[in-house]
């Protein structure tokens, strides 16, 4: 069983569309995260959720919104997609904020 | 200037060599992470440190809180160690280094 799974692996879409990326963890972790890796491979945190509370929100456009239906899921919704949103998005989880991270395999988003 | 600086940016070694990757950070932290990203893109957490030293197999990570510096060492390097190694400093939010691309040649 994959510990942290995210879908889809690849997402190609047109500018202006709305899309979602799903993330699920079966580790029983309390905290989940979304990261963005840009074309230069630089990672940046976008969001983290701990017990359904958003505890970190970097300067991310409000077109991006995390949705957590339960502790095991943290989905990423993106509205009005822009060319600059093209990147690889990683989901991760940890038992606590200063604990080891477990990453999903990434979703490569291409906005045309 | 990035709050987390890694060196070197690129590193090529021969199989069997001892490898050191350095990470310096300018913010106070609660923990520092070392991550490995393979050519296929997947990311694996190697270590999470808040003090001292940790060892796992051929990998050793150290941190000096006073000097705001951490090192990742690989002993007896192998071509399968070829990857990008990323350090990340956790200070309420996580700041990442730009990564060190390691290539180990047979």
């Amino acid at each position: 069983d994959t510990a942290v799974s995210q879908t889809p692996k690849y997402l190609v879409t047109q500018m202006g569309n709305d899309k979602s990326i799903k993330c699920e963890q079966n580790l029983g972790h309390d905290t989940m995260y979304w990261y963005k890796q840009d074309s230069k491979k630089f990672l940046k945190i976008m969001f983290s959720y701990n017990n359904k509370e958003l505890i970190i929100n970097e300067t991310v456009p409000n077109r991006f919104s995390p949705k957590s239906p339960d502790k095991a899921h943290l989905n990423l919704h993106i509205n009005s997609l822009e060319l600059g949103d093209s990147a690889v998005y990683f989901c991760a989880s940890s038992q606590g904020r200063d604990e080891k991270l477990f990453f999903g395999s990434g979703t490569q988003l291409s906005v045309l | 200037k990035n709050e987390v600086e890694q060196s070197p940016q690129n590193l090529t070694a021969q199989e069997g060599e001892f490898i050191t990757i350095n990470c310096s950070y300018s913010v106070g932290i609660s923990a520092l992470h070392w991550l490995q990203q393979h050519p296929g893109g997947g990311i694996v957490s190697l270590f999470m440190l808040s003090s001292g030293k940790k060892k796992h197999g051929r990998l050793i990570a150290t941190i000096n809180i006073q000097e705001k510096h951490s090192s990742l060492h690989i002993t007896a390097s192998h071509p399968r160690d070829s990857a990008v190694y990323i350090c990340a400093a956790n200070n309420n939010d996580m700041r990442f280094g730009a990564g060190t691309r390691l290539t180990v040649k047979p």
Side-chain angles (χ1 to χ4, degrees):
Chain A
D1 274 350
T2 304
V4 181
S5 59
Q6 56 182 106
T7 55
K9 190 168 176 61
Y10 301 97
L11 182 54
V12 180
T13 188
Q14 297 288 329
M15 217 164 44
N17 283 351
D18 302 337
K19 289 293 178 185
S20 295
I21 306 172
K22 294 185 177 180
C23 180
E24 176 182 4
Q25 54 95 4
N26 63 7
L27 299 167
H29 285 167
D30 288 332
T31 308
M32 295 184 71
Y33 311 83
W34 277 104
Y35 300 91
K36 179 181 180 180
Q37 188 171 42
D38 61 25
S39 57
K40 295 182 180 178
K41 304 296 185 185
F42 195 79
L43 274 164
K44 188 173 182 179
I45 190 165
M46 300 179 73
F47 303 105
S48 72
Y49 252 70
N50 185 326
N51 292 326
K52 294 196 174 184
E53 288 186 83
L54 179 67
I55 58 173
I56 298 175
N57 188 343
E58 282 291 289
T59 53
V60 172
N62 58 14
R63 297 181 295 103
F64 291 79
S65 56
K67 297 275 194 289
S68 182
D70 55 58
K71 198 172 92 164
H73 296 83
L74 184 66
N75 303 325
L76 183 64
H77 297 268
I78 316 168
N79 295 326
S80 302
L81 276 155
E82 299 178 358
L83 294 175
D85 298 332
S86 296
V88 180
Y89 293 85
F90 286 95
C91 174
S93 72
S94 64
Q95 183 55 42
R97 291 188 66 229
D98 284 335
E99 299 292 332
K100 183 177 177 179
L101 293 163
F102 291 79
F103 285 83
S105 57
T107 295
Q108 184 161 343
L109 172 65
S110 299
V111 182
L112 307 177
Chain B
K1 190 178 191 297
N2 196 11
E3 289 168 304
V4 180
E5 296 282 346
Q6 282 186 239
S7 63
Q9 192 173 352
N10 293 287
L11 181 56
T12 300
Q14 288 297 131
E15 184 173 356
E17 285 185 3
F18 181 82
I19 305 290
T20 296
I21 299 170
N22 294 301
C23 176
S24 295
Y25 52 92
S26 57
V27 295
I29 64 168
S30 54
L32 185 129
H33 296 256
W34 280 102
L35 310 174
Q36 179 192 54
Q37 186 167 28
H38 277 284
I43 300 176
V44 174
S45 174
L46 298 175
F47 295 103
M48 193 280 297
L49 289 163
S50 53
S51 65
K53 175 180 173 178
K54 286 190 176 179
K55 184 176 189 292
H56 185 257
R58 295 179 296 107
L59 273 59
I60 303 166
T62 63
I63 188 167
N64 185 318
I65 298 294
Q66 287 74 26
E67 294 185 5
K68 292 191 166 85
H69 181 269
S70 177
S71 293
L72 176 68
H73 306 284
I74 305 174
T75 61
S77 59
H78 190 275
R80 66 174 174 266
D81 297 327
S82 297
V84 176
Y85 293 83
I86 303 167
C87 78
N90 198 16
N91 173 29
N92 293 322
D93 56 25
M94 191 164 283
R95 309 287 182 176
F96 292 88
T100 295
R101 184 175 298 277
L102 172 65
T103 303
V104 181
K105 295 186 176 181

